[in-house]
Amino acid sequence: RELENEIERMLVLAGPLTSLLGEELLSPRIRNRLAELPEGTGEARLGLPEAVERLERRMIRAELDRHAWNKTHAAEALGISRRNLIRKVQEYGFDRRRSEH
């Protein structure tokens, strides 16, 4: 839901220039959290759906790592339900065992 709101905000602020969407259109709260995440590569030329998915993956992974894979705490930090987080973890194929190596 939070991500949906951010996308809507970006689209409204971009107006007809949706191809020029950038991080500067994110709310300060999300932009500050984004700054804490590890840098990705090659995101500048991704379409909006791909960029949103990549951001979502990074945010989820960072919160899981930050909360030692406690899904309840990670979900609370992300502002989503635990059920939704579990669904996303499965969808993205995250595996705690692989992250510990």
Side-chain angles (χ1 to χ4, degrees):
R1 185 173 184 171
E2 183 178 353
L3 190 53
E4 268 181 46
N5 291 338
E6 284 300 314
I7 293 168
E8 286 179 21
R9 180 179 189 280
M10 289 177 74
L11 291 173
V12 168
L13 291 174
L17 303 174
T18 55
S19 64
L20 302 176
L21 292 175
E23 289 179 21
E24 67 278 357
L25 297 177
L26 291 169
S27 67
R29 186 170 67 94
I30 298 297
R31 197 169 41 239
N32 292 341
R33 287 180 68 185
L34 180 60
E36 297 170 1
L37 298 175
E39 279 298 316
T41 58
E43 294 180 24
R45 292 288 155 212
L46 293 177
L48 182 60
E50 294 85 6
V52 168
E53 180 181 325
R54 193 172 281 190
L55 172 61
E56 183 177 61
R57 283 176 176 266
R58 287 174 37 200
M59 289 178 71
I60 289 171
R61 187 54 184 263
E63 290 302 329
L64 285 169
D65 289 342
R66 193 170 120 203
H67 294 283
W69 281 71
N70 181 310
K71 291 182 181 80
T72 301
H73 292 149
E76 287 173 3
L78 289 163
I80 61 175
S81 70
R82 185 176 189 278
R83 177 179 285 171
N84 196 28
L85 176 61
I86 290 170
R87 184 178 60 77
K88 290 292 186 180
V89 166
Q90 291 171 344
E91 178 183 330
Y92 293 144
F94 291 153
D95 184 349
R96 181 179 187 175
R97 292 170 296 206
R98 283 190 287 183
S99 71
E100 293 173 348
H101 296 287

